[in-house]
Amino acid sequence: MGCSVRVFGFAGWSGSGKTTLIEKIVPLMAVRGMKVSLIKHAHHGFDLDRPGKDSYRHREAGCSEVLIMARERWALLHESRGEPEMTLEEALARMSPCDLVLIEGYKAYSVPKLEVHRVAVGKPLLCPGDENIVGIATDAMASAPLAGWSESLPRFDIDNTAAIAEFVLTRARKFERQRSV
């Protein structure tokens, strides 16, 4: 069964404030009645579980998946065990229906993205090398020069979350996906 979902990504160097910005704009979308989900791609390993817990012990024993559930939330832990990493398309297919999926990471994928840039991080802009970056949120003053920035890209003060949220909603793109069972 195929369906579409609107997606929008966030790109930036570590420490630029992507997560902080996302956590500020999601409530602005939620008050509009939108259901927003997020896919965070980590470049390093991670674990949501703790050694000694039953679910951890089950995975260590060889379970390929362990679903942990309670009234407030549930999580499905899947052990790749040498399988290739999921693609963005595969990750989207596993998501429950929603109005918008925000993506942090998956830099190589062709989805519209907002670059989050902080001067103090000391890194160059990503936008000159990524045609999918459609705007920049930065702590650099609007009048200050920003090396590599093209004036054709909208530039937002990183604290102007209302304008950034509106921009994300207008620039999100429909992404066709196959729902997994």
Side-chain angles (χ1 to χ4, degrees):
M1 170 168 99
C3 60
S4 66
V5 64
R6 295 175 66 215
V7 299
F8 192 88
F10 291 81
W13 297 99
S14 179
S16 63
K18 297 179 299 293
T19 299
T20 301
L21 180 58
I22 291 168
E23 76 180 338
K24 288 179 179 178
I25 67 169
V26 168
L28 299 176
M29 296 170 179
V31 298
R32 294 179 174 201
M34 295 184 71
K35 186 175 181 180
V36 180
S37 295
L38 180 121
I39 295 174
K40 163 101 172 136
H41 182 255
H43 294 287
H44 45 77
F46 70 94
D47 202 336
L48 302 176
D49 218 351
R50 293 192 325 257
K53 290 296 190 183
D54 293 352
S55 51
Y56 184 92
R57 292 170 56 196
H58 296 314
R59 287 187 303 123
E60 288 296 304
C63 288
S64 60
E65 289 188 335
V66 175
L67 191 138
I68 307 166
M69 59 184 283
R71 182 179 177 97
E72 302 84 24
R73 72 189 53 88
W74 64 271
L76 177 63
L77 303 175
H78 177 91
E79 290 295 316
S80 296
R81 306 222 189 272
E83 297 170 1
E85 183 177 87
M86 242 193 299
T87 65
L88 178 58
E89 292 83 1
E90 291 166 332
L92 285 166
R94 291 179 177 267
M95 302 291 286
S96 297
C98 62
D99 299 306
L100 176 67
V101 175
L102 300 178
I103 300 165
E104 186 177 339
Y106 282 110
K107 288 180 190 171
Y109 276 84
S110 180
V111 298
K113 299 174 209 155
L114 180 73
E115 179 170 355
V116 181
H117 178 265
R118 288 202 184 270
V119 174
V121 172
K123 298 282 190 173
L125 288 172
L126 298 172
C127 60
D130 187 343
E131 64 188 31
N132 294 300
I133 292 176
V134 295
I136 301 171
T138 182
D139 60 352
M141 299 302 292
S143 60
L146 206 50
W149 171 62
S150 164
E151 290 194 26
S152 65
L153 285 180
R155 182 175 175 178
F156 299 93
D157 182 300
I158 202 162
D159 294 319
N160 190 349
T161 53
I164 293 169
E166 193 61 37
F167 179 75
V168 167
L169 292 174
T170 60
R171 296 304 297 262
R173 188 185 90 210
K174 282 192 176 181
F175 195 95
E176 294 300 320
R177 64 184 179 152
Q178 294 295 316
R179 288 285 301 142
S180 66
V181 280

